[in-house]
Amino acid sequence: MDLCLNRATLPLDTPATEVVLAAHAAGFGGIEMSARRLLEAVQSHRKVRELITGGGITPVHGGWSIRLHWERERFNQALPTVASEMAAVARLGSRSGALVLPRKAPTSSQALPHRDELIDRLHLVGDLAADQGLNLVIEFNGLRPKDPPECGYRTLSQTLELVHETGCSNIGVLVDSYHWHASGGTEEEIAAIPVNMPMFVHLNDAPDLSVDALDDCMRVLPGHGCIDLSALLSGLDRRRYIGPLSIELKNPELHSKPAFEAAKLAYDAGVQLLRRFGQPETPATA
C-alpha cells in the first residue's frame, strides 16, 4: 500500500501549488485534492506541472465540482463541468474521485434525495467517470451514531448496498478510518468488500473518547489515537487492497504549522504505522 496526502491535512489557506510541493518534499508519491484546485495548480506553476506530468507525484484521487445533496437543477447544471474536469485529471494520472453521501442533523428540515434519486445521480456521475476510465467511490459519514435512519447513510454496509444497486462496475466505496471507527465498523466488513469493487482509503486516527463525542476536527495522525488500525490494515490485506492510503485529518494543531512541516509529520506517521504492521510504504503510481 502506498501513502497519499489529502490536501485537507495541511493548513486550510495553503495554495494548491504549495500542497503539491510540500507533499512531494515530504516523501509522498501521491496527492488527493479537488480537480478544480489541481488544474489551477498545474496551469499556474511550472514546477508543479513538471512534477505531475513527469511522474514525480501522482494526483491519484480527488473530488469534482458536484455534490449529491444539491437540488436537481443545480446538480444537472454541474454535469458538463464535471465531465470536463474528469477528462483533464484523467490525463494527469488520476484514477478516481469521490462523492459523499448526504447526512443531516436530526433537527434539520433539509430534504435529502430519496434512494431512487440518489442511485440515479450516482449513475450519471459514474457514467461520466467511466467515459474517462475513472472510478467513482462513495464515502459515508459514520459520526453521530445515534441519529435516526432518516438522517442519512452512516455505515459501510449501507453504502455497499447502494453500490450494488447501481450495478455499475466503476462505482465503489471510500472507507475513512475515522468514520469506519465511529460507525462501529469491523475488520470482517473490510475483508468482505468484493475484490473487484473500486475502493479508496482515508487514513487517520481518533482520540480516546466515546464515538458519540467525536467530530471531524478531532482527528489525529494515524497511530496517535485509539482506532484499531491494525484491524483496518488486516482487513485491507485480507481483501487484497493494494491502493493508496490517503492521510486526511482536519486537525487544528496540524493546521497551525507550515505546510511542509504538517506534510512531513503526516508522512512520518504513515510510514511508522505501516512499518509497525509489516506493511512497507511504496511510492504511489498511476
Side-chain angles (χ1 to χ4, degrees), residues 120-180:
D120 181 58
R121 294 182 184 202
L122 292 173
H123 263 293
L124 289 170
V125 179
D127 286 348
L128 291 178
D131 289 342
Q132 303 301 330
L134 298 171
N135 292 323
L136 164 63
V137 288
I138 308 168
E139 181 177 9
F140 64 93
N141 180 337
L143 298 176
R144 305 192 314 270
K146 293 180 180 177
D147 281 3
E150 58 267 23
C151 290
Y153 303 93
R154 54 163 304 276
T155 68
L156 177 56
S157 61
Q158 291 171 337
T159 307
L160 289 172
E161 287 176 7
L162 273 179
V163 171
H164 287 305
E165 284 190 45
T166 68
C168 297
S169 62
N170 73 315
I171 296 182
V173 64
L174 188 158
V175 176
D176 182 298
S177 56
Y178 197 76
H179 292 299
W180 171 75

Side-chain angles (χ1 to χ4, degrees), residues 104-111:
K104 68 174 184 177
T107 56
S108 173
S109 59
Q110 175 189 3

Side-chain angles (χ1 to χ4, degrees), residues 251-270:
N251 178 283
E253 182 180 353
L254 209 59
H255 284 175
S256 70
K257 299 182 183 298
F260 169 73
E261 185 178 347
K264 192 70 171 68
L265 286 168
Y267 181 75
D268 289 347

